Structure formats: structure tokens, C-alpha cells
């Protein structure tokens, strides 16, 4: 009788929250929908796709458009089917069964998932109690554990905190292993290392079109690294990993530099306003929750009754992300943020504080 192996047997398909919630602030997507002028370009991009041909395995055009926008060399760029696919490729191509990947806790939950499928040990260094990273401790754990890869997000999902460029540089220089720096939220902050990859023999930076660029549906991510590492990533990925429609549409979106800048500005403004409103709420209900300073398009709140608040928000039609005793809330439109704040105000006023 056929039996599933142990690494797949107990896994369940990834299921994001389903249901007709009016307000979705649970997936860190952009709240901005496609600009009408861009819509026409997207339709053109689709229409000029050669459907009977395989796509360009090197995705040259879209890598060029990405490189132009970020002012980096196109030779340093590899495209992926979302940065998720690239995480999986890096784990399987750069690590061998039984190797150790070092990551942090809390950090992006998918790291552990891809590690387990690649039969790689995933060692998680717990962050300090304020959820910042102890760089010295990380350097020494990396050495002791003989980890072959360090993988973490900066700014971090879910904590919304950032590690300064100077600290990340020190980390990369002090560690022998490959460092995979997931900059999924770096469009909202200014401490990217994307322009410095040529200076390191052990750095791969990941970026995505799913957050700031508002293209989660396209599934498009990028790895940026020196030429040697870039060649290795390209050799280790599946040949036609990014479909032709995504390549063409991604090129169209990434060519709109002004639109991207405007969108990022609007999203950051929304998060700033959301943070300010939460601070105001804290003045009214001192100590009711702890709000972490954010460098991203979401906020991270610690509350001892996170689950109850989460469920009460759901019953008001507002979906946020529950993570243990914390809530991760994506910045939304002005109307969505206002509704969220009044729902929280209502919940807190009921005084069911534990
Ligand atoms: C959203 C996210 C990604 C993945 O994005 P893709 O949609 O797969 O490109 C990667 N890392 C972090 C930390 C994220 O939050």
C-alpha cells in the first residue's frame, strides 16, 4: 500500500483566511487597485504575449525593468514566481539535505516550511524581548551552529521592525555562510542593501512585487546578488518559472517609476496615520496594548487578549492577522483604517480587559 512520506504526511495546504470579510487587513497587500491608465498597458501586455511559445527563461525584459527602477545592474537580477518560489529554490539549490539554515523567531513563517520540504534543519534564534535582533548573538550562533545559510526578513514580517543598514552590513561581513536578506517590505523603508550586492560574496537580497507594487496577483519576485551567485540561482531554478503574461505585465508596471513612487508614498502615509490613531487610542486606554514602531505597510500590536480582539474584529467584518498574543494589521484605505479604529475603540470601551 502506498504511504506518504513523513515530510508531506502531516502538511496541510496553505489556506489564507476565507470568508466575505468587508475589510481585509490580514495579508499585507496594497490597498491601491490598478490605476486606470495602467490597466490599458496591462491589457496590451497580455495581448502581445506569444501564447504558443515558452517564455524567456531568463526573463530579461522584466529583470531589466526591475534593474532600471532600482538603479542596479540587470546582470545581478533573477526573476521568480513570487519571492516565495525563490526562497524554495535557494533552500533546495544552495543547501544539502541535513544542512542547517539559521533564521529568527518571530519571522516569516514560510522559511520553516520550505526548509522542512528541503530536508534542511531550521534553527530559529529567538529575538530579544523587545523583538529586536541581537546582532552579536546572531553572529556567534551562526558560527557555532555551522549554518550554511542565514535567512531573515528586513524590515521584519511580522514585527514591522527594521535592522539598520550598518548592522546588516556588519552581520554579512561577520558570517561565513550565505546570507539571504528578504527585503519584501524595503520599499517602505530606506535601508536597502540592493545596491551593494557586488561587494559581498555571500549576499542574496529578495524583493517582491506583491506588497508596495500592488501586484500580489502577478506572482513576481526577484533575487539580487553578485554575478557568481546570480548564475547559480539561474542554474538552480526551473527554466520557465515566470510565465510570459507575468513577465510582460511586470515590465509594464515596473516601467511606471512615478506611479510606483506615488503608490509607496500613499501607503506609507496610510500606515503613519494608522499608527497615530492607535497611539491616540492608547492615550485613552493606557497600557491596553503595545504598539511596535513600524518600517512597513502594517503595524504589529501586542495584546494579552489578542484572540478575543481578533474574533471581535472578525465579527465586525474586519480581518486582521492573529499571531499568538499579537495582531498584525495592514494599513488600508482611509475609510478602512477609520472603521478599524472605531471597532477597536468599541471593543476596548466594553472594558473586557483581562
Ligand atoms: C509577502 C512576503 C513574501 C513573499 O512574497 P511573494 O508574494 O511570494 O513575492 C516574502 N517574504 C516576506 C517576509 C513577505 O512578507
Amino acid at each position: 500500500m502506498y504511504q506518504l512520506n513523513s515530510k508531506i504526511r502531516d502538511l496541510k495546504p496553505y489556506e489564507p483566511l476565507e470568508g466575505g470579510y468587508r475589510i481585509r487587513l490580514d495579508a499585507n497587500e496594497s490597498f491601491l487597485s490598478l490605476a486606470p491608465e495602467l490597466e490599458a498597458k496591462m491589457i496590451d501586455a497580455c495581448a502581445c504575449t506569444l501564447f504558443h511559445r515558452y517564455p524567456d527563461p531568463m526573463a530579461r525584459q522584466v529583470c531589466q525593468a526591475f534593474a532600471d527602477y532600482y538603479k542596479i545592474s540587470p546582470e545581478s537580477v533573477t526573476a521568480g514566481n513570487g519571492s516565495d518560489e525563490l526562497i524554495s529554490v535557494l533552500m533546495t539549490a544552495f543547501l544539502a539535505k541535513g544542512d542547517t539554515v539559521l533564521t529568527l523567531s518571530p519571522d516569516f513563517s514560510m522559511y520553516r516550511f520550505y526548509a522542512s520540504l528541503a530536508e534542511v534543519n531550521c534553527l530559529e534564534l529567538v529575538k530579544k524581548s523587545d523583538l529586536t535582533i541581537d546582532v552579536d548573538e546572531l553572529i556567534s550562533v551562526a558560527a557555532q551552529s555551522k549554518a550554511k545559510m542565514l535567512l531573515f526578513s528586513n524590515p521584519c514580517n511580522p514585527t514591522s521592525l527594521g535592522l539598520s543598514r550598518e548592522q546588516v552590513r556588519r552581520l554579512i561581513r561577520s558570517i561565513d555562510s550565505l546570507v539571504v536578506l528578504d527585503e519584501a517590505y524595503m520599499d517602505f523603508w530606506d535601508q536597502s542593501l540592493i545596491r551593494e550586492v557586488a561587494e559581498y560574496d555571500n549576499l542574496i537580497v529578495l524583493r517582491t512585487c506583491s506588497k508596495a507594487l500592488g501586484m500580489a496577483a502577478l506572482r513576481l519576485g526577484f533575487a539580487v546578488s553578485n554575478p557568481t551567485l546570480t548564475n547559480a540561482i539561474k542554474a538552480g531554478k526551473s527554466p520557465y518559472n515566470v510565465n510570459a503574461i507575468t513577465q510582460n505585465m511586470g515590465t509594464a508596471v515596473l516601467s511606471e517609476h512615478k506611479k510606483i513612487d506615488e503608490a509607496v508614498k500613499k501607503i506609507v502615509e496610510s500606515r503613519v496615520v494608522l499608527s497615530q490613531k492607535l497611539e491616540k487610542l492608547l492615550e485613552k486606554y493606557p497600557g491596553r496594548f503595545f504598539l511596535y514602531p513600524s518600517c512597513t505597510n502594517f503595524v504589529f500590536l501586542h495584546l494579552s487578549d489578542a484572540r478575543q480582539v481578533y474574533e471581535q474584529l472578525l465579527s465586525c467584518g474586519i480581518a486582521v492577522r492573529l499571531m499568538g498574543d499579537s495582531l498584525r494589521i495592514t494599513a488600508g484605505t482611509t475609510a478602512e483604517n477609520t472603521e478599524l479604529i472605531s471597532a477597536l475603540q468599541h471593543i476596548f470601551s466594553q472594558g473586557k480587559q483581562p
Side-chain angles (χ1 to χ4, degrees):
M1 198 179 103
Y2 178 72
Q3 291 204 315
L4 293 168
N5 71 30
S6 61
K7 66 180 177 180
I8 199 80
R9 195 168 46 220
D10 300 322
L11 286 181
K12 292 190 179 63
Y14 183 77
E15 277 187 55
L17 185 65
E18 301 267 4
Y21 300 104
R22 271 181 311 126
I23 299 181
R24 297 296 303 248
L25 304 176
D26 60 319
N28 293 346
E29 296 146 331
S30 170
F31 60 83
L32 299 164
S33 45
L34 194 63
E37 312 89 271
L38 240 182
E39 207 172 295
K41 272 184 84 174
M42 296 295 256
I43 291 166
D44 283 350
C46 186
C48 74
T49 300
L50 296 176
F51 287 99
H52 62 303
R53 299 292 183 197
Y54 281 107
D56 174 9
M58 295 302 148
R60 285 178 190 84
Q61 255 200 326
V62 73
C63 287
Q64 179 73 56
F66 176 87
D68 288 347
Y69 177 66
Y70 289 99
K71 300 188 173 65
I72 57 173
S73 157
E75 276 77 54
S76 63
V77 183
T78 309
N81 189 355
S83 49
D84 250 89
E85 187 216 6
L86 293 167
I87 296 167
S88 173
V89 168
L90 297 180
M91 292 258 188
T92 46
F94 288 74
L95 299 175
K97 182 175 169 175
D99 280 353
T100 295
V101 56
L102 176 59
T103 180
L104 294 155
S105 175
D107 205 328
F108 190 43
S109 57
M110 298 311 285
Y111 302 153
R112 203 169 357 151
F113 166 73
Y114 290 117
S116 79
L117 280 184
E119 298 183 73
V120 160
N121 303 318
C122 188
L123 180 63
E124 295 181 338
L125 176 64
V126 177
K127 291 182 183 176
K128 294 197 279 187
S129 60
D130 61 1
L131 300 185
T132 60
I133 298 169
D134 184 334
V135 173
D136 292 305
E137 190 187 10
L138 187 53
I139 292 168
S140 77
V141 171
Q144 281 160 25
S145 64
K146 301 198 167 59
K148 296 278 163 58
M149 179 192 289
L150 168 65
L151 166 58
F152 67 102
S153 60
N154 189 43
C156 171
N157 172 13
T159 67
S160 78
L161 303 174
L163 189 63
S164 74
R165 183 149 48 200
E166 208 31 68
Q167 293 282 58
V168 181
R169 286 184 187 127
R170 182 160 80 86
L171 195 54
I172 302 164
R173 291 206 186 97
S174 314
I175 287 181
D176 294 327
S177 76
L178 184 64
V179 177
V180 180
L181 181 61
D182 184 350
E183 293 190 340
Y185 299 92
M186 195 52 93
D187 295 293
F188 307 116
W189 204 33
D190 61 359
Q191 299 289 301
S192 180
L193 259 67
I194 202 175
R195 298 211 180 94
E196 303 176 17
V197 292
E199 295 166 36
Y200 302 94
D201 65 0
N202 63 334
L203 174 63
I204 298 175
V205 180
L206 298 178
R207 303 289 293 235
T208 178
C209 294
S210 300
K211 309 286 160 55
L213 279 79
M215 291 288 140
L218 275 193
R219 309 308 304 129
L220 184 59
F222 296 91
V224 185
S225 55
N226 72 38
T228 310
L229 291 173
T230 299
N231 273 334
I233 303 167
K234 287 187 171 157
K237 73 177 185 65
S238 77
Y240 304 116
N241 59 326
V242 181
N243 75 70
I245 302 175
T246 292
Q247 290 192 30
N248 293 345
M249 289 189 169
T251 305
V253 172
L254 283 161
S255 313
E256 297 282 336
H257 298 188
K258 234 180 92 195
K259 286 236 157 41
I260 300 173
D261 293 343
E262 282 165 9
V264 168
K265 201 160 153 252
K266 278 186 197 155
I267 296 168
V268 171
E269 269 165 20
S270 161
R271 191 259 301 153
V272 169
V273 171
L274 178 60
S275 300
Q276 285 166 349
K277 287 184 169 178
L278 287 165
E279 297 280 5
K280 274 256 164 60
L281 205 55
L282 261 183
E283 283 170 21
K284 218 164 161 191
Y285 301 97
R288 186 63 182 80
F289 56 89
F290 181 83
L291 175 65
Y292 290 85
S294 171
C295 314
T296 62
N297 66 334
F298 60 89
V299 292
F300 195 60
L301 265 61
H302 172 84
L303 320 86
S304 50
D305 58 341
R307 178 168 285 280
Q308 277 124 283
V309 173
Y310 167 76
E311 274 159 12
Q312 283 171 289
L313 286 173
L314 278 188
S315 68
C316 305
I318 303 175
V320 302
R321 185 73 185 266
L322 173 68
M323 318 199 78
D325 50 11
S326 302
L327 298 178
R328 192 194 69 192
I329 307 176
T330 312
T333 63
T334 305
E336 288 171 335
N337 293 344
T338 306
E339 266 211 60
L340 168 84
I341 295 293
S342 45
L344 283 174
Q345 155 105 36
H346 178 73
I347 294 165
F348 296 158
S349 72
Q350 292 170 335
K352 271 196 257 159
Q353 191 164 355

